[in-house]
Amino acid sequence: MSVRTTRAVLVAATAVALSAALAAPALAAVPAGSGHEATRKAAEAAVEAGVPGVTVTARDGHGTWSATAGVGNLRTGQPRSAADRYRVGSITKTFVATVLLQLEAEGRLSLDDSVDKWLPGLVRGNGHDGREVTLRQLLNHTSGIFNYTADEDFGRTYFLKDGFFEHRYDTKKPAQLVALAMTHKPDFAPGTSWNYSNTNYVLAGMVIEKATGRPYGAEVRDRIIKPLHLTGTSVPGTRVTVPGPSSRAYSKLAETATGPTYDVTRINPSIAYSAGEMISDSADLGRFYSALLRGKLLPREQLAEMTTTVPLDERGGYGLGLMKSELSCGVTVWGHGGGIHGSLSEAVTTRDGRHSLAFNLNGDWSGDTGAVIEAEFCGTEKAAERTVRRGPDLT
């Protein structure tokens, strides 16, 4: 399998992570607060499948529950902590979409603006034309703009062993990431289909900076992190470390789930920029998604825009930086998944924001994140029997 094919498969897997086990028979939902034993067992199953460790936190009307499984450091055997901070990958996209929607609510931009209005001439080449792409199409992945992480050379340079250890500390400018995407043809004409593209959110971050005159991370901090007191959440920029408390992150740095395991904790996340560079912890992510869905961050009109989805299948859809999935028991959850070197994360909540779940796997080649979600909201361990094989990626 080529690197490009692997990238496409991994992106697709993340994009439908919240729709895992949809073929399972319908099950009665377990009322909130009736116990999290199935969730604990699903986390333990991920460790049994090969993931070094898992940290998980859920919150419902009965309070907050946390659990860990496995280890946070393979060398010392130190266990994972419920307070672990970790790289959240594409969960960053929900923060970015929220800021853009806040700017729309303030009348500083419109989601119907063209990308070219804000970033003139940047999206051009091989059939790309920023005059034909709207900001809304960036946020719901209907722009057709090529995903720069699907570039073959980029994959070899940053996701496979030899390239990673040579280039893990490279600094990439967002305009360079967009320029790489422009060397490829679009996936489709704007608005005619759907395809997950990290380039969309690199552009979204650049639009925030153009509209505000400030770094997108500063806007995220002032508009979301500080007001919600998300003390474990940060926008690292080019910082290569993860603040403590934290665990190590591990990857096979290969297209298979076999072979040596490498510590990939230290990395310059500028290769992800506003598509996936952020760091957080499970408690903060639960607080963020709960506040978002309860209307604490957006006016009603903008929240309605965010939760208007493009169907991905019969039970899932993608809104504006927000994924919707109906689980096997009929419960619908909203949130996002994220993957970056050595780290797979999920954060979801019910539409009323009252029942939230966030967790992280500190290995990127195994473990079924959908099983953990099913276990928490449906009270079933059935999905935990499966194992999803992955490799390093940015999703």
Side-chain angles (χ1 to χ4, degrees):
M1 180 183 291
S2 70
V3 173
R4 179 174 180 177
T5 301
T6 302
R7 298 280 80 74
V9 169
L10 292 168
V11 167
T14 297
V16 299
L18 303 186
S19 301
L22 295 184
L27 297 165
V30 175
S34 62
H36 304 273
E37 189 59 26
T39 310
R40 183 191 303 277
K41 290 184 177 179
E44 292 171 349
V47 173
E48 292 170 4
V51 174
V54 181
T55 181
V56 54
T57 294
R59 184 174 180 84
D60 58 24
H62 295 265
T64 300
W65 170 88
S66 296
T68 64
V71 299
N73 189 313
L74 289 173
R75 182 177 58 84
T76 66
Q78 178 181 344
R80 294 216 65 177
S81 166
D84 270 355
R85 297 173 183 179
Y86 45 82
R87 301 189 191 278
V88 302
S90 281
I91 290 173
T92 302
K93 291 178 171 67
T94 313
F95 287 83
V96 170
T98 300
V99 171
L100 265 181
L101 284 161
Q102 289 178 344
L103 292 173
E104 182 191 56
E106 296 163 9
R108 299 172 70 174
L109 54 75
S110 168
L111 293 191
D112 295 321
D113 289 344
S114 71
V115 173
D116 210 65
K117 175 178 178 178
W118 294 98
L119 305 171
L122 187 64
V123 178
R124 284 289 199 288
N126 288 305
H128 288 96
D129 188 346
R131 294 169 295 188
E132 303 299 322
V133 178
T134 67
L135 303 186
R136 189 186 312 276
Q137 290 167 340
L138 295 181
L139 298 186
N140 66 11
H141 294 299
T142 60
S143 72
I145 295 174
F146 183 84
N147 177 16
Y148 73 92
T149 60
D151 178 83
E152 292 263 357
D153 288 339
F154 189 92
R156 281 190 292 269
T157 302
Y158 295 105
F159 296 121
L160 300 185
K161 179 174 71 71
D162 292 343
F164 174 81
F165 285 113
E166 182 179 352
H167 296 282
R168 68 194 298 180
Y169 301 128
D170 288 1
T171 293
K172 302 295 287 186
K173 299 294 186 182
Q176 292 177 294
L177 304 177
V178 175
L180 176 59
M182 296 302 101
T183 65
H184 297 265
K185 293 181 179 180
D187 295 319
F188 47 81
T192 63
S193 188
W194 185 92
N195 192 49
Y196 194 90
S197 174
N198 288 301
T199 315
N200 288 329
Y201 275 77
V202 170
L203 289 163
M206 297 176 76
V207 170
I208 290 172
E209 297 190 348
K210 191 67 175 289
T212 65
R214 304 176 69 222
Y216 95 90
E219 293 295 324
V220 169
R221 282 190 290 270
D222 290 348
R223 292 170 174 272
I224 302 174
I225 295 175
K226 290 181 180 178
L228 294 182
H229 305 289
L230 305 181
T231 57
T233 303
S234 60
V235 184
T238 59
R239 188 184 70 219
V240 303
T241 57
V242 178
S246 60
S247 293
R248 310 304 294 178
Y250 298 98
S251 178
K252 299 295 184 180
L253 295 176
E255 295 177 291
T256 66
T258 59
T261 298
Y262 301 98
D263 187 323
V264 295
T265 310
R266 294 172 64 88
I267 183 175
N268 183 334
S270 65
I271 62 165
Y273 185 59
S274 50
E277 72 168 290
M278 287 182 65
I279 291 169
S280 191
D281 62 35
S282 297
D284 276 10
L285 291 178
R287 187 177 303 119
F288 166 61
Y289 280 101
S290 178
L292 178 62
L293 271 296
R294 294 175 70 180
K296 303 297 184 182
L297 294 172
L298 293 173
R300 182 175 300 178
E301 179 182 348
Q302 276 67 41
L303 186 56
E305 288 187 286
M306 181 176 249
T307 54
T308 299
T309 61
V310 177
L312 302 183
D313 54 37
E314 66 275 13
R315 296 178 108 172
Y318 198 99
L320 305 183
L322 196 64
M323 297 168 67
K324 172 187 178 182
S325 181
E326 181 184 347
L327 303 178
S328 65
C329 56
V331 173
T332 296
V333 293
W334 296 79
H336 213 289
I340 194 169
H341 301 73
S343 182
L344 292 173
S345 309
E346 292 281 354
V348 296
T349 186
T350 50
R351 182 62 181 83
D352 59 10
R354 294 181 179 179
H355 186 177
S356 63
L357 171 73
F359 60 95
N360 171 261
L361 284 58
N362 65 336
D364 60 22
W365 66 90
S366 186
D368 188 343
T369 56
V372 183
I373 296 170
E374 282 277 336
E376 174 62 25
F377 292 93
C378 298
T380 174
E381 300 161 36
K382 184 178 181 63
E385 299 170 3
R386 297 189 322 280
T387 299
V388 175
R389 298 293 183 184
R390 297 179 176 87
D393 201 2
L394 165 61
T395 54

